[in-house]
Amino acid sequence: MATAASHWSSLAVCGNKPAFSEPLHVGRPNLPDKQAILERIAGALDRHWLTNGGPLIAEFERRIAAEVGVKHCIAVANGTIALELAVRGLGLSGEVIVPAFTFIASAHALAWQHVAPVFCDVDRTTHTIDAKQAEELITPRTTGILGVHLWGRACDVESLADLAARKQLALFFDAAHAFGCTHRGRSIGQFGSCEVFSFHATKFVHCGEGGAITTNDDVLAERLRLLRNFGFVGYDCVTAIGTNGKMSELAAAVGLTSLDNMATIVAANRANYDCYRRMLADIAGIKLVPFDAREVSNFQYVVLEVDDRVAGLSRDELAAALVAENVLARRYFFPGCHRMDAYRASAKCPAPPLPITELLSERVLALPTGLQVDQASILRIAGIVRTAIENAPAVKSRLSQRRAA
Ligand code: T4K
């Protein structure tokens, strides 16, 4: 099945009303059960216990650990501080190898802890770190590798584990996108020394703001708990330079309710993904980033690759056409971390730099999904994409007139 293209002059870039009267966001929070959140929050207020390891946080940690199948879950304030705590907890220094094609937090968490991120390219198919190139980037200063399971697709965990073992490096994973996903039938969250999840409002399961580290390492877990709470042992004794990384009871209330609704959210994401796939299948120059059908996925990101040579429109032109219709498609992730102002001058990366990252960061476009998006909306979005691409020269010229005006 495919959507029919409308006449290009009906598009909003031609001065018409947008297809959607309200903005359609990538990352609108899923909030299926407001009442249950409010009841949990009311309980916390009644107990006069709002953070510092309260019962909701403890329950959240138990449920995440059970879902992932690990001994320990350390719930924290957000995914970025979870990464920073992991860097500290693992005692990393010098350089750590990280993919350049990721959200900037993966790199920042290292740099914020005075560890230099060394940017590695990614695999063309999976968009995850290229284990072969990672090996070439190892220097005497390298202490670890941070893989990122982008879009919920696992890294080449086995090659990275082999490399880390041979070179005696720490291996840990940024699993911010990968809660509820598997690798070779095992839950992501079990691999490396530890893995880090984000439960930010834009994630399919979320706490508003939240994150967690999962591990089977008892000693590391103990250290992470210490570092999360200023390094306090008891009331008056501080044995390590820690931080305040604690999750609050209010965040855990949102997180637990989100977990209760996880199956519904994943089912909606999956149906949306399948609908996008059917509707966009035969549009020239458009490819939906696939999920590995052998694995369990959360389907929380719907990502297109736009090949401008075939589509006739660049990713940015297609994005502009969608934004004009109130479809706020996002360039996840553009540019590569190594090209961000914060790193451009000093970024350590191989020469010639990162061809797959360069290619993908020019082509990718994330589309709205989650409970806010119904299939009728997807048909309209796909119709806009089809109309824009089938009339690429006219749309291109309209966009350049708008830019000039
Ligand atoms: N590692 C990776 C690989 C990550 O992708 C992330 C975060 C992290 C680490 C760090 O985890 P956290 O420290 O964030 O827990 C968003 C999210 O803020 C970020 O969590 C996420 N990845 C990233 C991929 O996307 P932005 O800056 O692009 O978008 P933001 O937060 O402005 O939200 C996107 C859109 O969602 C907005 O335009 C409007 C809508 N929105 C957002 C919020 C917060 C809503 O409608 N309601 C809301 O409450 O980063």
Side-chain angles (χ1 to χ4, degrees):
M1 199 197 341
T3 40
S6 315
H7 194 270
W8 68 272
S9 61
S10 65
L11 292 174
V13 289
C14 299
N16 294 295
K17 266 179 44 187
F20 294 89
S21 56
E22 297 291 324
L24 213 52
H25 291 282
V26 173
R28 195 73 156 173
N30 296 313
L31 290 166
D33 195 347
K34 197 170 145 191
Q35 194 52 37
I37 295 175
L38 294 175
E39 279 165 23
R40 281 191 164 111
I41 289 177
L45 298 179
D46 289 345
R47 284 190 292 277
H48 289 250
W49 197 272
L50 300 185
T51 177
N52 290 28
L56 297 179
I57 298 162
E59 187 185 346
F60 184 73
E61 290 186 330
R62 275 196 305 277
R63 289 203 31 203
I64 297 288
E67 181 71 36
V68 170
V70 287
K71 282 165 80 176
H72 304 283
C73 167
I74 298 96
V76 295
N78 58 60
T80 306
I81 200 132
L83 285 167
E84 289 174 25
L85 284 165
V87 171
R88 280 277 179 140
L90 292 167
L92 302 180
S93 60
E95 297 174 354
V96 166
I97 298 165
V98 62
F101 188 61
T102 179
F103 187 59
I104 198 65
S106 316
H108 277 356
L110 297 165
W112 196 254
Q113 295 302 319
H114 305 288
V115 173
V118 175
F119 293 111
C120 187
D121 213 351
V122 292
D123 178 80
R124 178 70 186 90
T125 308
T126 63
H127 298 186
T128 60
I129 189 166
D130 176 345
K132 247 174 143 175
Q133 190 180 73
E135 178 152 15
E136 291 158 16
L137 294 174
I138 293 171
T139 72
R141 282 173 49 75
T142 309
T143 57
I145 301 169
L146 172 56
V148 182
H149 305 303
L150 213 71
W151 320 134
R153 282 196 69 150
C155 299
D156 181 354
V157 170
E158 287 68 29
S159 300
L160 292 170
D162 171 67
L163 175 61
R166 278 190 288 113
K167 303 288 180 180
Q168 295 185 308
L169 301 174
L171 174 65
F172 64 126
F173 293 99
D174 178 339
H177 298 183
F179 184 65
C181 300
T182 63
H183 170 64
R184 297 195 175 179
R186 282 172 64 197
S187 288
I188 288 180
Q190 302 182 6
F191 300 105
S193 295
C194 63
E195 302 214 46
V196 161
F197 294 106
S198 165
F199 296 110
H200 181 257
T202 54
K203 299 294 180 288
F204 80 112
V205 164
H206 69 92
C207 300
E209 286 279 4
I213 311 165
T214 56
T215 182
N216 282 314
D217 181 332
D218 299 340
V219 176
L220 178 62
E222 202 45 45
R223 181 152 177 80
L224 291 168
R225 289 194 179 101
L226 184 74
L227 293 175
R228 166 180 70 174
N229 186 28
F230 309 100
F232 268 114
V233 179
Y235 276 133
D236 305 314
C237 176
V238 171
T239 61
I241 300 173
T243 185
N244 181 358
K246 299 187 297 294
M247 177 178 276
S248 77
E249 285 285 272
L250 309 184
V254 179
L256 285 167
T257 311
S258 203
L259 280 172
D260 291 342
N261 291 286
M262 183 168 155
T264 311
I265 300 166
V266 173
N269 282 349
R270 173 153 209 160
N272 285 351
Y273 179 84
D274 287 342
C275 186
Y276 272 120
R277 189 165 44 78
R278 286 194 305 276
M279 295 301 138
L280 298 171
D282 62 339
I283 304 180
I286 296 289
K287 188 186 131 202
L288 203 57
V289 173
F291 288 93
D292 185 339
R294 295 164 301 183
E295 304 292 350
V296 178
S297 176
N298 56 38
F299 296 94
Q300 72 176 316
Y301 288 101
V302 174
V303 182
L304 293 181
E305 283 186 30
V306 184
D307 181 348
D308 62 335
R309 296 163 311 177
V310 183
L313 287 182
S314 69
R315 180 273 315 273
D316 289 354
E317 288 165 332
L318 181 61
L322 286 164
V323 169
E325 308 284 356
N326 253 338
V327 180
L328 306 189
R330 293 293 300 266
R331 300 187 296 182
Y332 287 149
F333 291 103
F334 168 84
C337 295
H338 64 304
R339 289 199 180 274
M340 290 287 192
D341 287 353
Y343 293 103
R344 201 167 34 204
S346 60
K348 288 200 76 172
C349 53
L354 315 172
I356 309 296
T357 299
E358 302 293 358
L359 179 91
L360 292 176
S361 61
E362 288 297 331
R363 286 191 179 181
V364 283
L365 191 63
L367 298 177
T369 186
L371 297 179
Q372 62 146 350
V373 183
D374 59 15
Q375 304 219 342
S377 302
I378 294 174
L379 297 195
R380 281 158 89 189
I381 295 169
I384 296 162
V385 172
R386 182 179 299 279
T387 303
I389 288 179
E390 289 184 359
N391 300 279
V395 171
K396 221 176 175 56
S397 120
R398 266 290 163 178
L399 284 167
S400 69
Q401 282 168 22
R402 274 162 61 107
R403 277 195 300 270

